[in-house]
Amino acid sequence: MKKLSPKGSMNDRIDTVLYKFRSRMRSYPPGLCPISLYRSLLQISMNQSCGKCIPCRDGLVEVDRMLQSIMAGSADETAIKKLTKMCQMIAKTSDCAVGISAAQLILDSLEQFADEYESHVKEHHCVSDVKQTIPCITKCPAHVNVPGYIALIKEEDYAGAIKLIRDRNPFPTACAYVCEHPCEKRCRRAIIDDPINIRGLKKYAVDSVKADTVDNPKRNVSTGKKISVIGAGPSGMTAAYFLALMGHAVTIYDEHEEPGGMLRYGIPEYRLPKEELDRDIKSIMSAGDIEFKSGVKVGRDITFEQLRKDSDAVYLAIGAQIGNRMPVDGADAGNVIPAADFLQLVSKGEMKDLSGKRVALIGGGNVAMDAARTAVRMNAKTVHVFTRKRDDYTAVQEEIVDAMQEGVRFRTLLSFLNIETDKESGDVSAIWLQPEIVGEYDEKGMMTTEHSSNYPYRFVCDYLILAVGQRSDTLSFETEGVPTERSRILANEECIVSDMEGVFSGGDCVTGPSTAINAIAAGQVAAFNIDEYLGYHHKINTDVEIPVALPNPCIPTGRAEIEKRDPYERKEGFDEVELPMTYEEAMRESGRCLRCDHHGCGVLKGGRGDE
């Protein structure tokens, strides 16, 4: 007789185990040997094998044995070729996806980590002696000591926490409000429950003690060296901060009236109140000999060559503030505007009200979400966001959820075709979109699409915002010999510009549009490399004592989230949307930290073959 599975059956218990294992996979530490990781994944597939076909049943066991010998350093130089042929055979002859996908997984690893395999076979160890690193510090582009400042917050030393953040990042307040918190991606707390709310704790610290009341590190003696920084965004201001602390004189040039770059002119007030941003700016400007020259555009008001003559080094941090348009019919129609331009006009108070307007927006990144939510606050009648595929929603998930709560509507699987304009006014009257269907994934694991057989879709709108990327204004630098490619300055990972003595560059103008913390990291790297170029090796002493790490009982505990004002209330204006953490929430959340700076990271097994 057929019956339902009893509650708590074996399958239910296995589901629970798989859910917990997924958390463990998500918290794999950076620096893990990739061959060890892929072998773990292979063993999962081996456990799924039904045993009916020989390639899967016996072949995967043989592949596992080969990987073990490679990791142990006992494989000869023919091992990689044998492993490749074995996996190719399994992928071609297995009966089902278990064997096929497992073999393909190892083939992918052989391609992506060819240097790692070669090092294990020839040198009998990982490339550069790979070792596990502290996940949150490693994943933070600026490598801020996250466990350290969380421990200081736990001890209620909020000023100390801010000082420790400033050791690598002079924008503790701005990042507390808008950082994408990549530091949380591999948090080992996820093994137990959920990652630490690192940004939330940082925000609690700067809410408790204002950053401009916390002293900067002591400045080194003056070196007599002069550095010109072009651009007062997060990258340029970060470089200026560290260079000033080292004892150099810094002059910052920016075409805007106030410093901050896209932090000031690209991020809406409801996400980053400018009063709070100014606290970081004030602290940076007080770090040493820093002069800010506003309303100065290099190439218009002063030549780049003149700056090079007057300076011992130059740092180009011009950002990527020009919004892209699309090469389609009607792109120059009235009421069509790039998202970056739209946000800058709003921040300067130059954007007209959108009352009664039906707004369409193309794009799914963070800038798109900022523009969509800003349009809601500009009284737009409706705001619709369109993307071609689900992978195009690259914005932080919280931003997408917040936009939905505030009434923004989302449509996907629609590719942009062209713009229809009103014959009398010349303004946009509608956009045409082509329905898409999903296809295969590409080599990077991204979904592809192809045109559906459905007819193109006409969407009536009064205003169109294009959130399809940004570019840098590099023309004046190109004419003076600065090497560029596709509106990006060519500089290496040390921020050194090719074939230009004493010229450095970093941030969005090198990488393309990215995040504030990536720009801050570039400014930090540039500052220390400029210092080395000038013949120094300065160190900056933060003078902060980090509390001793104590054992954590690892009791599963809920994650404290940053609460927000009601969507119907917050969309009525530009007031800050996030509410402060309570003392109890901050203490409990900081107590969840496992202190990976002292426990569980950086210790390698005795040998590569150890189990």
Side-chain angles (χ1 to χ4, degrees):
M1 182 179 292
K2 191 173 184 179
K3 60 181 180 180
L4 294 172
S5 298
K7 186 177 181 180
S9 67
M10 180 64 72
N11 285 339
D12 292 335
R13 282 178 279 164
I14 288 176
D15 286 345
T16 301
V17 171
L18 290 174
Y19 178 80
K20 290 182 177 179
F21 186 77
R22 182 177 64 179
S23 295
R24 181 170 288 276
M25 288 295 297
R26 184 175 56 166
S27 60
Y28 261 39
L32 185 72
C33 171
I35 302 178
S36 178
L37 171 61
Y38 274 93
R39 187 184 173 208
S40 298
L41 298 174
L42 173 70
Q43 289 171 337
I44 296 173
S45 297
M46 290 166 60
N47 292 332
Q48 291 177 288
S49 177
C50 69
K52 290 180 181 179
C53 73
I54 293 175
C56 180
R57 184 188 66 209
D58 298 338
L60 294 184
V61 174
E62 180 63 18
V63 170
D64 182 60
R65 187 194 64 77
M66 290 181 177
L67 289 175
Q68 184 179 5
S69 67
I70 290 172
M71 291 172 60
S74 59
D76 59 30
E77 295 191 12
T78 65
I80 295 175
K81 189 174 181 180
K82 290 178 181 178
L83 179 61
T84 302
K85 287 185 175 180
M86 176 66 72
C87 290
Q88 289 172 341
M89 181 274 293
I90 296 171
K92 289 178 181 178
T93 59
S94 292
D95 287 347
C96 75
V98 173
I100 295 170
S101 61
Q104 189 58 54
L105 186 77
I106 303 303
L107 288 171
D108 289 343
S109 76
L110 285 162
E111 180 180 346
Q112 294 179 18
F113 298 101
D115 56 339
E116 192 71 48
Y117 278 95
E118 185 177 358
S119 179
H120 276 78
V121 170
K122 293 183 177 179
E123 307 295 334
H124 311 302
H125 58 68
C126 293
V127 172
S128 302
D129 290 323
V130 168
K131 64 180 180 179
Q132 292 183 11
T133 56
I134 302 165
C136 52
I137 297 178
T138 302
K139 297 303 289 183
C140 172
H143 303 308
V144 174
N145 188 341
V146 176
Y149 78 72
I150 289 178
L152 288 164
I153 292 170
K154 180 64 177 175
E155 295 294 319
E156 301 180 44
D157 183 1
Y158 310 122
I162 291 170
K163 286 182 179 181
L164 190 57
I165 294 168
R166 277 194 192 142
D167 182 50
R168 297 298 183 105
N169 174 7
F171 284 96
T173 308
C175 283
Y177 279 82
V178 302
C179 186
E180 289 188 314
H181 45 82
C183 49
E184 296 181 19
K185 285 183 178 179
R186 296 284 189 89
C187 178
R188 298 188 97 180
R189 183 73 199 194
I191 298 173
I192 304 167
D193 37 55
D194 289 300
I196 306 294
N197 191 338
I198 296 172
R199 185 178 75 84
L201 287 172
K202 186 186 297 180
K203 189 170 184 298
Y204 180 78
V206 299
D207 284 342
S208 301
V209 173
K210 298 304 181 183
D212 55 348
T213 66
V214 179
D215 292 337
N216 288 318
K218 185 179 178 181
R219 181 176 181 256
N220 282 283
V221 297
S222 177
T223 63
K225 300 293 184 180
K226 298 179 181 179
I227 294 95
S228 292
V229 174
I230 304 173
S235 186
M237 295 299 290
T238 297
Y241 171 79
F242 287 113
L243 288 166
L245 289 178
M246 292 169 186
H248 308 306
V250 183
T251 303
I252 307 170
Y253 299 86
D254 197 277
E255 61 182 303
H256 294 294
E257 291 304 311
E258 297 183 77
M262 291 301 280
L263 288 175
R264 182 179 300 279
Y265 297 105
I267 297 180
E269 183 82 12
Y270 65 83
R271 284 188 61 209
L272 177 57
K274 300 308 172 280
E275 178 185 1
E276 299 299 329
L277 172 62
D278 286 336
R279 298 185 188 281
D280 285 343
I281 300 292
K282 180 180 176 182
S283 296
I284 291 170
M285 296 300 293
S286 66
D289 188 359
I290 302 177
E291 181 183 5
F292 175 63
K293 293 190 176 183
S294 63
V296 178
K297 183 176 175 62
V298 176
R300 181 191 66 191
D301 304 303
I302 188 171
T303 65
F304 178 60
E305 188 58 35
Q306 185 62 49
L307 285 180
R308 291 188 68 188
K309 289 179 180 178
D310 296 342
S311 312
D312 294 293
V314 178
Y315 181 52
L316 298 174
I318 59 176
Q321 300 186 19
I322 303 174
N324 289 337
R325 291 183 178 268
M326 300 180 76
V328 297
D329 293 340
D332 296 325
N335 288 351
V336 177
I337 186 172
D341 299 0
F342 171 75
L343 291 170
Q344 290 183 58
L345 288 174
V346 172
S347 69
K348 296 175 182 178
E350 300 173 4
M351 185 65 211
K352 61 184 179 182
D353 190 74
L354 296 176
S355 294
K357 300 289 186 183
R358 295 162 294 185
V359 177
L361 190 148
I362 308 296
N366 288 316
V367 174
M369 295 306 108
D370 285 343
R373 296 176 68 190
T374 297
V376 169
R377 286 161 173 77
M378 297 296 287
N379 303 314
K381 182 180 179 180
T382 60
V383 180
H384 284 75
V385 173
F386 297 99
T387 63
R388 184 167 62 91
K389 53 187 179 180
R390 290 186 290 273
D391 289 341
D392 291 337
Y393 289 112
T394 58
V396 176
Q397 187 62 31
E398 302 98 276
E399 292 295 311
I400 297 174
V401 171
D402 287 348
M404 288 180 176
Q405 290 176 342
E406 292 169 6
V408 177
R409 305 172 191 181
F410 291 81
R411 295 284 304 276
T412 191
L413 289 178
L414 290 165
S415 61
F416 185 51
L417 291 179
N418 66 293
I419 298 168
E420 182 181 313
T421 58
D422 183 84
K423 293 181 179 179
E424 294 183 5
S425 65
D427 292 342
V428 59
S429 58
I431 57 174
W432 286 88
L433 303 150
Q434 172 62 51
E436 300 281 314
I437 59 174
V438 295
E440 297 179 356
Y441 287 90
D442 62 20
E443 65 279 359
K444 295 182 180 179
M446 303 294 286
M447 181 192 298
T448 62
T449 65
E450 56 189 62
H451 288 348
S452 165
S453 58
N454 290 333
Y455 290 112
Y457 171 59
R458 182 177 183 267
F459 181 80
V460 177
C461 62
D462 309 300
Y463 208 89
L464 175 61
I465 300 175
L466 300 174
V468 290
Q470 295 151 234
R471 67 184 190 279
S472 303
D473 184 6
T474 59
L475 184 59
S476 62
F477 298 100
E478 289 175 15
T479 58
E480 299 210 39
V482 176
T484 64
E485 183 178 339
R486 298 177 63 186
S487 297
R488 296 183 188 180
I489 296 172
L490 297 177
N492 62 19
E493 291 181 352
E494 288 78 36
C495 298
I496 299 171
V497 175
S498 309
D499 302 322
M500 297 202 82
E501 183 72 18
V503 179
F504 298 75
S505 185
D508 289 3
C509 62
V510 172
T511 63
S514 187
T515 61
I517 189 62
N518 279 322
I520 289 166
Q524 176 203 129
V525 169
F528 283 89
N529 285 332
I530 290 171
D531 187 60
E532 294 282 345
Y533 166 76
L534 296 175
Y536 302 92
H537 188 72
H538 285 110
K539 295 186 182 298
I540 297 170
N541 184 14
T542 55
D543 195 27
V544 176
E545 186 174 343
I546 299 173
V548 174
L550 301 175
N552 189 302
C554 298
I555 299 171
T557 307
R559 169 183 158 112
E561 300 289 357
I562 299 177
E563 297 298 320
K564 298 173 184 176
R565 292 191 296 121
D566 185 278
Y568 288 95
E569 175 189 343
R570 70 192 189 214
K571 71 178 185 178
E572 296 300 322
F574 285 86
D575 292 340
E576 182 187 345
V577 301
E578 293 186 336
L579 300 174
M581 257 191 188
T582 66
Y583 171 80
E584 294 80 8
E585 287 175 323
M587 291 302 103
R588 181 168 294 171
E589 190 65 16
S590 57
R592 293 175 65 232
C593 180
L594 299 177
R595 289 302 301 271
C596 296
D597 54 335
H598 285 271
H599 305 304
C601 284
V603 180
L604 286 175
K605 294 175 283 188
R608 286 300 172 190
D610 289 359
E611 295 296 310

